[in-house]
């Protein structure tokens, strides 16, 4: 019979065996989680047009709205790149919302009788041509278009017409009187698939910076290349392959560039800015501005910050930190413009706890599909498909985290920005003289501020 191990040796053996078993189980579980995560990520990218999440895909939904607006007989804004940038999935979802839903019999019963069947003694009456109500997302696009134009032109030249709008009067006056000089640095935070550097009449010398998630920027660069859009202002307009400046992509840029060269020897969509840079950072982490500084942002010169459809995806603490960090790298004369969802206010002047139904604007008339909008980055409603989300799974309002629960000027003032104007999107449309399908109060606000 073998000699039994001493107790200390036996305990040591048990400890070593237990540790080995624990490590083995940990490795197995970790590999299973990785396999599951890879499978989930693949399913997500297939669901959201190759992007990683619904929030990323919202950039496609917004661009699809601009694409559909551009197709209108008398569009409020024109974005030639939008249809190519948004991708087929988002564009099909947006167009599906505008398809007629009434039955043929219903249409026949409400249609006017043919000209030959008019009642005796009557003449066909011409139908009045009413201006189409402007959709909320398109009003937002128009508003921030004009912010960029008015600020960079200091209210003169191409900026004179935007500056004439009542809602931009204080903004234009502030930009024109800035002792620091013209604001020639534009930064879009949460830029998505924005195409302003290719479609707005920018003055000479504007340097354009875009900040967003890595998957969004990679997809955008690849699609811009495929569309024959110039992304490097230093590149001669020869139609040469510009794929080296992009991260990721489909690899078809050379074909697009060749087509551009064949059609006229230049870029199909020339860049109107003196420079264009992308910075992939997480805006929920402190220190995100370091990436902009590394790309050449001059913190001693004026900066125009555009935060369009971004802030409500962040927690309030992150919103405050972001505004403060933007102020810390802004020179005198800097401007910040943002869209905000304001929490509903009770009669005693205090905000409700969760916003609730007060954030839901009234439904657009069923017969006016153009008045709705894709469930996208500024869909400040809480009623699913009522705003025309395109398909039931696009529930972006469930991703919203922040509503401003105090006076907007005070909130921005506490973060280093003095409010110039704060108005609902409906009041902005009224300032432009545009009709809207909604008439009651809205919780979506447009805010322009100056560095305090």
């Amino acid at each position: 019979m073998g000699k039994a191990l001493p107790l200390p040796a036996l305990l040591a053996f048990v400890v070593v065996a237990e540790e080995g078993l624990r490590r083995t189980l940990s490795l197995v579980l970790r590999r299973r989680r990785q396999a599951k995560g890879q499978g989930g990520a693949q399913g997500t990218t297939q669901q959201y047009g190759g992007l990683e999440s619904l929030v990323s895909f919202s950039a496609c939904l917004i661009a699809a709205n601009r694409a559909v607006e551009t197709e209108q007989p008398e569009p409020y804004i024109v974005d030639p790149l939008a249809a190519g940038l948004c991708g087929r999935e988002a564009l099909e979802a947006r167009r599906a919302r505008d398809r007629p839903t009434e039955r043929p019999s219903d249409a026949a019963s409400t249609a006017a009788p043919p000209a030959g069947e008019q009642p005796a003694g009557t003449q066909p009456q011409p139908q009045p041509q009413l201006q189409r109500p402007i959709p909320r997302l398109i009003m937002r696009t128009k508003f921030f278009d004009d912010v960029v134009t008015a600020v960079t032109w200091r209210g003169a030249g191409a900026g004179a017409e935007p500056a004439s709008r009542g809602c931009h009067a204080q903004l234009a006056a502030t930009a024109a009187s800035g002792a620091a000089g013209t604001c020639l640095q534009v930064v879009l935070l949460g830029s998505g698939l924005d195409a302003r550097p290719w479609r707005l009449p920018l003055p000479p010398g504007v340097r354009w910076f875009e900040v967003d998630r890595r998957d969004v920027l990679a997809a955008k660069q690849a699609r811009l290349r495929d569309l024959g859009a110039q992304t490097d202002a230093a590149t001669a307009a020869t139609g040469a392959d510009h794929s080296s400046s992009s991260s990721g992509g489909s690899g078809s840029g050379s074909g697009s560039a060749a087509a551009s060269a064949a059609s006229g020897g230049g870029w199909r969509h020339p860049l109107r800015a003196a420079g264009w840079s992308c910075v992939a950072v997480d805006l929920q982490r402190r220190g995100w501005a370091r990436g902009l500084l590394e790309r050449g942002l001059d913190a001693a010169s004026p900066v125009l910050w555009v935060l369009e459809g971004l802030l409500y995806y962040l927690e309030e603490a992150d919103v405050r930190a972001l505004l403060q960090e933007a102020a810390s790298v802004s020179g005198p004369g800097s401007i910040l413009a943002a869209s905000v969802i304001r929490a509903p206010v009770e009669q005693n002047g205090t905000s409700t706890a969760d916003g609730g139904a007060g954030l839901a604007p009234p439904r657009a008339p069923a017969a006016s599909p153009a008045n709705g909008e894709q469930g996208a980055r500024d869909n400040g409603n809480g009623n699913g498909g009522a705003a025309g989300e395109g398909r039931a799974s696009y529930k972006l309002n469930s991703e919203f985290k922040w509503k401003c629960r105090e006076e907007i000027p005070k909130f921005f003032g506490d973060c280093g920005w003095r409010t110039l104007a704060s108005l609902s999107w409906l009041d902005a449309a009224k300032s432009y003289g545009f009709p809207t399908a909604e008439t009651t109060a809205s919780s979506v606000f447009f805010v322009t501020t100056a560095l305090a």
Side-chain angles (χ1 to χ4, degrees), residues 117-129:
E117 300 179 13
Q118 295 287 341
T122 64
Q123 295 293 329
Q125 297 297 315
Q127 296 297 316
Q129 297 298 315

Side-chain angles (χ1 to χ4, degrees), residues 228 237-239 257 259-269:
T238 60
S260 176
S263 65
W267 295 97
R268 191 178 304 164
H269 301 282

Side-chain angles (χ1 to χ4, degrees), residues 28-337:
V28 170
L29 291 174
R30 183 164 62 250
R31 288 180 175 176
R32 286 185 177 180
R33 284 195 298 267
Q34 290 174 347
K36 183 178 180 180
Q38 291 171 356
Q42 183 179 4
T44 300
T45 56
Q46 291 176 352
Q47 182 180 3
Y48 298 126
L51 299 178
E52 295 176 359
S53 68
L54 177 57
V55 174
S56 292
F57 186 64
S58 69
C60 300
L61 299 174
I62 291 291
N65 277 269
R66 295 197 302 270
V68 170
E69 179 65 25
T70 300
E71 297 170 349
Q72 296 294 325
E74 297 183 2
Y76 285 102
I77 60 101
V78 175
D79 187 345
L81 283 165
L85 286 173
C86 69
R88 184 172 60 185
E89 180 179 345
L91 191 57
E92 288 181 352
R94 175 58 182 81
R95 284 175 173 162
R97 184 167 58 79
D98 289 347
R99 294 184 187 128
T101 56
E102 62 182 2
R103 294 172 299 178
S105 58
D106 295 335
S109 64
T110 58
E117 300 179 13
Q118 295 287 341
T122 64
Q123 295 293 329
Q125 297 297 315
Q127 296 297 316
Q129 297 298 315
L130 300 178
Q131 187 178 11
R132 176 173 55 91
I134 187 168
R136 173 153 47 101
L137 283 178
I138 301 306
M139 185 64 243
R140 190 186 83 178
T141 300
K142 178 65 175 174
F143 182 90
F144 287 100
D145 279 358
D146 287 352
V147 166
V148 171
T149 307
V151 171
T152 56
W153 283 94
R154 301 184 69 178
E161 192 275 335
S164 68
R165 306 291 185 184
C167 58
H168 295 307
Q170 187 61 40
L171 172 72
T174 301
S177 63
T182 305
C183 186
L184 296 178
Q185 299 182 110
V186 181
V187 180
L188 269 64
L189 298 183
S191 57
L193 300 176
D194 182 85
R196 290 186 174 102
W198 293 272
R199 64 181 182 85
L200 292 187
L202 301 174
V206 171
R207 299 168 62 219
W208 198 277
F209 301 85
E210 300 195 1
V211 180
D212 211 317
R213 298 179 174 213
R214 188 173 302 277
D215 62 322
V216 174
L217 293 178
K220 180 174 185 175
Q221 289 172 318
R223 293 173 189 182
L224 285 171
R225 184 175 67 243
D226 292 344
L227 292 168
Q230 180 188 11
T231 57
D232 185 356
T235 303
T238 60
D241 183 7
H242 197 62
S243 60
S244 61
S245 68
S246 301
S247 60
S250 62
S252 58
S254 58
S256 298
S260 176
S263 65
W267 295 97
R268 191 178 304 164
H269 301 282
L271 185 65
R272 300 189 180 190
W276 182 75
S277 300
C278 290
V279 182
V281 297
D282 185 352
L283 291 171
Q284 298 178 92
R285 295 185 178 182
R286 312 302 184 260
W288 53 264
R290 188 180 306 113
L292 283 168
L293 297 174
E294 292 172 351
R295 289 299 184 95
L297 184 75
D298 182 4
S301 298
V303 182
L304 169 59
W305 301 88
V306 179
L307 285 59
E308 181 184 359
L310 166 69
L311 294 180
Y312 17 88
Y313 285 93
L314 307 177
E315 300 288 354
E316 181 171 322
D318 295 328
V319 173
R320 291 184 182 275
L322 182 146
L323 294 175
Q324 292 166 356
E325 187 162 344
S328 72
V329 292
S330 297
S334 293
I335 299 290
L336 184 145

